[in-house]
């Protein structure tokens, strides 16, 4: 409907793609985005892993976040899914719904953010679509990765006897979001400026654990990324794996900043463990495989912590001295929806 | 940001996916959508063709269109891209940004629309994401198809001496959109109720020419789908193919309804030929291949019409007695952006 198509004196869609996105499409099979589609030819003996996450301004990020950080978050939440599946990232498509007030500077910074992460993660832009989204910036990324044939790590593969591990620290992003939503909270929980900045940055910029993907592919019974809150996500893993998972809350790794916040306000522990946006990995593995994960984590500079185990049965059990555990498991997880 | 995540007493995201979308994911490799990702294993000797189109309520469709038709349009505009690339459709991912007022009935009808088109086009849902999009329903589909290795039909392959052909009739959807935007227009141009309904339906429900995909793969020098207006799209084909394309406006196939509208209001011819949303195919082919396209079209019940030719040079030339041709080519095409 053309009345919403006006872009004034700025770049047309074609110019915009040529200027900000075509330089990101480095593979010949993308025809520099000058075609209706691109093609992919996975190496023989590989499966292509596909995932899609959509992000909406004011729902998944703040509209005034730096454009490069928005770009990176949109990309990284998808790369996190690939890492959890044991997949090596390959490329992505981007759907970009722009509000009418976009500027060339904003788009340049957004495109620079994509370019930096393409370099970091060894991926290329494969194509996409740019449309008008009158009220809110909306991003839809489809990411592609590869795994050896038949070796995609599943969410539903946890077995009785497996250990349940997580990467990094849990809850930082959820606490960082609370700090952004509640301007008085930093002072109320007596965080240092560095601690507050650390937590906010964990919300702003996920760190997908791509460097652990190959060890997951070799040694994990099950994997998923923790995006909707540790408690709810492990409940999902238990359900689709047809096992019971028990976790010891006291073993869940917290950053110093998160520990400080939870010490000052113990109710924040629930926020940390159910809040979402961690983009760490939850892994089920046989006890004999644990050392492979710990070693790979050391190489990648990421702690791998055992927080529980799987057994015959169903559901998620929570134990530990920290906090009031009543009804956590029933509460379900944070939902972006 | 959880304040926008409330869904009241309705289905949670997990329930919503289980109820309306998991039944559409018929391949084992999708794990009934109970995983972070799905995998694809193209047949040996095949390339995977990927395309992504995003649709926003009030920009690409009317928010009060029947939900099944919205679903089908979102899917079909992507299938149209695959057809233009000579690709056989395989499956799709869907990103669904739902406004807060969605109902179970709406979602059921939307899901039914997808199911019907999955049957029609022989495809399956592979995965996706559901998020809150507070103001506008937003759909982002990534579609996958296959072509024999190295055989994706390109937009940039037109050669001097090629004929330029189109499928079906041009301009119906653009006129149908005008009829919807301007309630008095049907009477003003003296269309019958059937004619008006035909044009409106051509806007509502594209007919991707998937049945011509294989003949494109075998015989087309270049192909693209006509989504942004015939004139602008052929200008793009000429540019990326490094040829000049001349078309005879009088040879552009119009439906009886479009002819009637343009007879009553000659300026509507420009709307028809620059307006967009045709989702017909533009094909460049050697003259010796024309009969293959005409034959394949007959089998599929779709006319294939020669409207011009390609030659050495650059740009798009328009000729013909119909209408005032001044500055059409410069006007560029309709933009959804």
């Amino acid at each position: 409907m053309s009345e919403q198509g006006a872009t004034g004196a700025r770049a047309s869609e074609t110019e915009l793609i040529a200027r900000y996105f075509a330089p990101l499409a480095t593979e010949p099979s993308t025809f520099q985005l000058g075609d209706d589609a691109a093609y992919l030819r996975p190496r023989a003996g590989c499966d292509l892993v596909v995932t899609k996450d959509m992000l909406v301004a004011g729902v998944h990020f703040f509209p005034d976040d730096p454009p490069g950080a928005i770009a990176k978050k949109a990309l990284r939440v998808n790369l996190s899914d690939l890492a959890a599946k044991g997949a090596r990232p390959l490329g992505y498509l981007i759907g970009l719904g722009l509000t009418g007030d976009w500027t060339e500077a904003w788009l340049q910074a957004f495109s620079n953010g994509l370019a930096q992460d393409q370099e970091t993660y060894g991926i290329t832009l494969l194509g996409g679509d740019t449309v008008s989204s009158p009220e809110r910036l909306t991003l839809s990324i489809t990411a592609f990765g590869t795994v050896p044939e038949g070796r995609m790590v599943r969410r539903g593969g946890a077995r009785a006897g497996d250990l349940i591990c997580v990467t990094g620290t849990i809850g930082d992003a959820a606490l960082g979001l609370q700090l952004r939503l509640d301007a008085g909270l930093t002072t109320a929980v007596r965080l240092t400026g560095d601690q507050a900045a650390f937590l906010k940055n964990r919300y702003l910029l996920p760190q997908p654990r791509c460097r652990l993907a190959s060890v997951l592919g070799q040694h994990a019974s099950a994997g998923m990324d923790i995006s909707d809150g540790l408690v709810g996500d492990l409940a999902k893993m238990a359900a689709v794996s047809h096992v019971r998972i028990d976790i010891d809350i006291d073993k869940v790794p917290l950053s110093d900043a998160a520990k400080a916040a939870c010490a000052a306000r113990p109710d924040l522990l629930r926020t940390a463990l159910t809040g979402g946006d961690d983009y760490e990995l939850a892994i089920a593995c046989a006890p004999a495989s644990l050392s492979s994960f710990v070693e790979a984590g050391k190489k990648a500079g990421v702690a791998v912590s055992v927080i529980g185990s799987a057994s015959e049965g169903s559901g998620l059990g929570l134990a530990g001295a920290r906090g009031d555990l009543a009804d956590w498991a029933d509460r379900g997880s944070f939902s972006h929806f």
Side-chain angles (χ1 to χ4, degrees), chain A residues 273-285:
Chain A
L273 302 195
T274 62
D277 271 310
D278 293 296
Y279 301 104
E280 296 290 352
L281 300 176
I283 302 160
C285 68

Side-chain angles (χ1 to χ4, degrees), chain A residues 41-48 146-151:
Chain A
R41 190 180 303 165
R43 270 184 313 169
C46 280
D47 286 341
L48 200 66
T146 56
V147 290
E149 204 169 287
R151 296 294 296 274

Side-chain angles (χ1 to χ4, degrees), chain A residues 26-96:
Chain A
T26 54
E27 288 293 311
S29 69
T30 63
F31 310 105
Q32 297 176 293
L33 310 186
D35 211 310
D36 312 74
Y39 69 85
L40 285 171
R41 190 180 303 165
R43 270 184 313 169
C46 280
D47 286 341
L48 200 66
V49 177
V50 296
T51 186
K52 183 184 191 73
D53 272 338
M54 207 165 169
L55 290 87
V56 178
V59 180
H60 303 90
F61 59 87
F62 290 84
D64 58 352
D65 283 342
I70 294 172
K72 288 178 180 180
K73 181 167 190 173
L75 203 47
R76 291 179 182 196
V77 302
N78 282 282
L79 297 179
S80 178
D81 282 321
L82 293 181
K85 304 294 97 186
R88 176 191 174 137
L90 193 68
Y92 66 103
L93 302 166
I94 188 165
L96 182 61

Side-chain angles (χ1 to χ4, degrees), chain A residues 211-212 215 291-302 304:
Chain A
R211 292 180 64 191
L212 291 176
V215 69
S291 59
S292 303
F293 286 98
V294 174
E295 278 308 306
K298 273 186 189 152
K299 279 187 198 156
V302 185
V304 175

Side-chain angles (χ1 to χ4, degrees), chain A residues 202-222:
Chain A
R202 288 277 282 162
Y203 176 76
L204 186 67
L205 214 52
Q207 302 293 335
R209 303 308 184 187
C210 298
R211 292 180 64 191
L212 291 176
S214 89
V215 69
L216 259 81
Q218 291 169 293
H219 297 291
S221 312

Side-chain angles (χ1 to χ4, degrees), chain A residues 164-166 170 230-231 234 244-254 269 273 305-310 316-323 325 328:
Chain A
I164 304 297
C165 312
V166 295
I170 300 297
L230 177 72
V231 168
L234 286 179
R244 174 180 172 87
I245 289 178
D246 284 280
I247 65 174
D248 181 345
I249 296 291
D250 297 342
K251 291 187 177 161
V252 174
L254 298 181
L269 183 62
L273 302 195
S305 309
V306 177
I307 62 166
S309 61
L316 179 71
L318 304 174
R322 283 183 191 165
L325 301 181
W328 279 30

